């Protein structure tokens, strides 16, 4: 694409923190706050593509289903993609006075992806005890547990061409929750019991659509060395080689900061353009190099 495109990966935890009850009223308030910042970014760019997370919302639906059936994850992703896409598109469009479209997307993954054997993506709220009907992990500070599900890498976004067409005239909300996961194999494709990480989908679309910049918006100020330890150290600038070394040492949590850093590195290495990780409310400062973590090629 030839548009001046900014891709924003908006974290589910940034708009709906996993602590405390997740109510629709709280969600509307958080989305309104996010839309304030997204609208400022949209005014500074020819086009804005928002790829949002939905881990807290998917976890809420999984509990509400009564049985916690992971086989329903594709439907929960689609439902929450529509929910959050509607709220974001409406809030951004009202603030901008410009068209904003929300699109339910499907994402292809490989049915042989090893992530299906090693669930790592946290969903839902923080629990006081490990759930008895599925895998879970402790939170980084050890104060609770979160349910985890499989999070395979995206191979392709089926609606990529439609997104490109929409971006000619609209700001777009798409790829929500990483998109509805469809596992592709030799015998065709089928719904997958997974939640694809929106960070990887944002990186994939940013590369494929020739974005000028890729931004990951989360609920912490920076990527940190030693996050969760007694003395975490904020990383303001991170070269791709150093980022890969830190990833290999396991310094960034799987299903959380790890995918952000890895997806940022993949985009920056492929395009030579910087990626930014920042807290909601601090994105403008981070894009000026005055906050957040900037991932650079060298």
């Amino acid at each position: 694409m030839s548009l001046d495109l900014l891709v924003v990966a908006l974290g589910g935890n940034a708009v709906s923190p996993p602590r405390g009850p997740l109510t629709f009223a709280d969600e509307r308030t958080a989305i309104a706050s996010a839309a304030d910042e997204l609208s400022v970014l949209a005014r500074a760019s020819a086009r804005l593509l928002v790829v949002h997370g939905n881990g807290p919302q998917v976890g809420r639906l999984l509990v509400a289903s009564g049985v916690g059936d992971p086989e329903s994850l594709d439907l929960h992703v689609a439902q929450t993609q529509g929910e959050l896409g509607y709220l974001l598109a409406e809030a951004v469009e009202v603030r901008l006075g410009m068209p904003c479209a929300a699109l339910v997307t499907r994402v292809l993954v490989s049915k042989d992806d090893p992530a299906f054997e090693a669930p790592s993506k946290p969903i839902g709220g923080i629990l006081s005890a490990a759930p008895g009907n599925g895998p879970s992990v402790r939170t980084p500070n050890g104060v609770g547990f979160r349910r985890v599900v499989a999070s395979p890498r995206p191979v392709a976004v089926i609606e990529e061409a439609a997104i490109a067409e929409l971006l000619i005239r609209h700001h777009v909300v798409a790829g929500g929750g990483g998109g509805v996961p469809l596992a592709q194999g030799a015998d065709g494709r089928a719904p997958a019991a997974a939640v694809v990480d929106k960070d990887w989908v944002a990186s994939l679309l940013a590369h494929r659509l020739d974005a000028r910049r890729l931004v990951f918006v989360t609920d912490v100020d920076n990527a940190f060395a030693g996050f969760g330890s007694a003395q975490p150290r904020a990383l303001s600038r991170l070269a791709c080689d150093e980022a890969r070394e830190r990833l290999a040492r396991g310094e960034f949590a799987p299903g959380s900061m790890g995918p952000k850093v890895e997806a940022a590195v993949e985009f920056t290495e492929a395009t030579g353009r910087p990626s930014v990780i920042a807290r909601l409310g601090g994105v403008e400062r981070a894009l000026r190099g005055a906050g957040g973590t900037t991932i650079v090629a060298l």
Side-chain angles (χ1 to χ4, degrees):
M1 293 184 67
S2 59
L3 291 173
D4 183 12
L5 175 64
L6 175 66
V7 176
V8 177
L10 181 63
N13 290 341
V15 295
S16 297
R19 296 185 184 279
L22 178 60
T23 68
F24 288 125
D26 291 339
E27 187 169 277
R28 288 179 188 273
T29 299
I31 290 290
S33 177
D36 288 339
E37 187 158 27
L38 291 171
S39 299
V40 172
L41 298 176
R43 290 189 185 96
S45 304
R47 285 292 180 268
L48 180 70
L49 171 60
V50 181
V51 181
H52 61 83
N54 66 348
Q57 290 78 15
V58 167
R60 178 186 63 204
L61 279 179
L62 198 61
V63 172
S65 68
V67 294
D69 178 13
E71 298 304 315
S72 63
L73 280 173
D74 65 314
L75 296 178
H76 294 339
V77 170
Q79 288 171 301
T80 54
Q81 194 177 169
E83 171 188 323
L84 292 168
Y86 147 64
L87 290 171
L88 281 165
E90 178 67 7
V92 171
E93 185 170 298
V94 165
R95 285 158 176 76
L96 285 176
M98 298 170 60
C100 185
L103 188 67
V104 173
T105 54
R106 297 162 294 165
V107 174
L108 295 180
V109 301
S110 171
K111 72 173 185 178
D112 298 320
D113 193 301
F116 286 111
E117 302 300 323
S120 64
K121 176 68 177 173
I123 62 170
I126 294 176
L127 309 172
S128 58
N133 59 344
S136 64
V137 295
R138 279 193 175 274
T139 57
N141 56 13
V143 299
F145 297 83
R146 292 190 74 186
R147 183 189 298 273
V148 292
V149 297
S151 186
R153 292 282 186 91
V155 175
V157 177
I158 293 176
E159 284 78 12
E160 180 188 318
I163 293 168
E165 287 293 322
L166 281 170
L167 282 167
I168 294 172
R169 300 184 183 277
H170 296 70
H171 298 291
V172 176
V173 179
V180 180
L182 299 173
Q184 181 75 57
D187 54 350
R189 69 191 191 209
V195 174
V196 179
D197 201 295
K198 58 93 185 42
D199 296 322
W200 282 110
V201 173
S203 180
L204 175 65
L205 287 173
H207 183 195
R208 295 276 300 174
L209 299 175
D210 194 29
R212 170 178 58 87
R213 210 75 178 268
L214 173 61
V215 181
F216 300 87
V217 182
T218 185
D219 58 349
V220 293
D221 293 312
N222 300 79
F224 288 85
F227 183 72
S229 69
Q231 293 183 312
R233 180 170 62 87
L235 300 167
S236 60
R237 191 175 178 86
L238 197 55
C240 287
D241 287 348
E242 180 185 352
R244 287 200 178 277
E245 290 172 5
R246 292 183 179 277
L247 283 163
R249 292 197 296 267
E251 293 188 23
F252 305 118
S256 179
M257 188 57 71
K260 291 174 180 56
V261 173
E262 200 168 354
V265 167
E266 189 163 287
F267 170 78
T268 296
E269 285 184 336
T271 65
R273 298 166 188 162
S275 305
V276 171
I277 298 170
R279 180 190 288 273
L280 184 65
V283 176
E284 284 186 278
R285 292 181 63 250
L287 287 171
R288 298 196 306 268
T293 299
T294 300
I295 290 88
V296 294
L298 296 175

